[in-house]
Amino acid sequence: MLDTYRRPLRNLRISVTDRCNLRCRYCMPEAEYTWLPRRDLLTFEEISTLVDVFVDLGVDKVRLTGGEPLLRRDLPSLVTMLAAKPLRDLALTTNGVLLAGHVEALKKAGLGRITVSLDTLRADRSKSLSQRATHPSVLKGIASVAPAGFTGTKIDTVALNGVNDDELVDLIEFGRTVPAEVRFIEYMDVGGATTWAPERVLSRAEMLTRLTAHYGPITPLRNEDGAPADRFELPDGTTFGIVSSTTQPFCATCDRSRLTADGLWYLCLYAMDGINLRDPLREGATHAEMAKLITDAWWARSDRGAVDRLAERDRLPFIPLTALKRDPHLEMHTRGG
Ligand code: SF4
């Protein structure tokens, strides 16, 4: 199943809650949010039913996201349901705060891999950036991943000029000890990033310049199919990634879509509208009817949100705060990042 740019649908990010226990300044900086109504949230059985349809249409990678997914009660039960499906990859992205208490249950349930967000190694910076004093819990969560038996762990770092741009080397060195591959993510102007400004973006080019100055020659590696991060190797074989969504978008190979916790399906992080899968599912649509709904939408997909944004002159935050307050679906934390 290919879209109008001949991109397949392989990757589904499922947000299991729009709630988060942090308030990172690049994602959820506001004091107040409008939350999705609880009655609208998909049950685990509904998510599992939808994943069956997506798997039949070619999805073989599923990532659970939020908000913060570990705030969803009994998440390992959903993992157990999804782990029984023919997926190549079943992963979780978490901010790590609650991870240490759940990591063994997640492993036992069949979760494949974990990515933890970690923007800084300094507790004071973490508190200032996330507006919460949770840094020790995050580090404890990261430390619990390998002993629980997980491999292929990743650390996601949003690289911000003037905030953590002096920690690139320290984070890579920390990643070696976990062990985890660090991926630096350029600051994106998606919904929720209400304080985004071009000068706050630490570009991929600048990151590579700084890392080369420290480590010596850096070798680009062949990219995994459709993976958002370009991967690189240091002279000693340590690898790291850069997700350069802002300065060098990778929309041309984008095979991912996003399901919100209330069952809206977004074909692009920048899409203004999602396709409501919840209502037809609750109204009794058959597997074939749901498959047709999804297929028709994917065939018509022409989204290249980050490429379109790059072409904008005088770039400002993508969605103004007033619009975000009217429709929480425009928020990145609702779409699962
Ligand atoms: S901006 Fe949209 S099309 Fe481009 S990579 Fe991101 S989700 Fe995919």
Side-chain angles (χ1 to χ4, degrees), residues 95-101 116 133-144:
N95 63 29
V97 175
L98 302 171
L99 183 55
V116 188
T134 53
H135 199 247
S137 308
V138 176
L139 295 183
K140 194 171 155 204
I142 291 172
S144 72

Side-chain angles (χ1 to χ4, degrees), residues 7 250-251 254 256 258 268-270 301 303-306:
R7 298 171 295 189
F250 37 84
C251 301
C254 178
R256 73 195 63 85
R258 293 166 166 82
C268 177
L269 197 45
Y270 287 93
R301 178 187 189 236
D303 302 79
R304 298 190 314 165

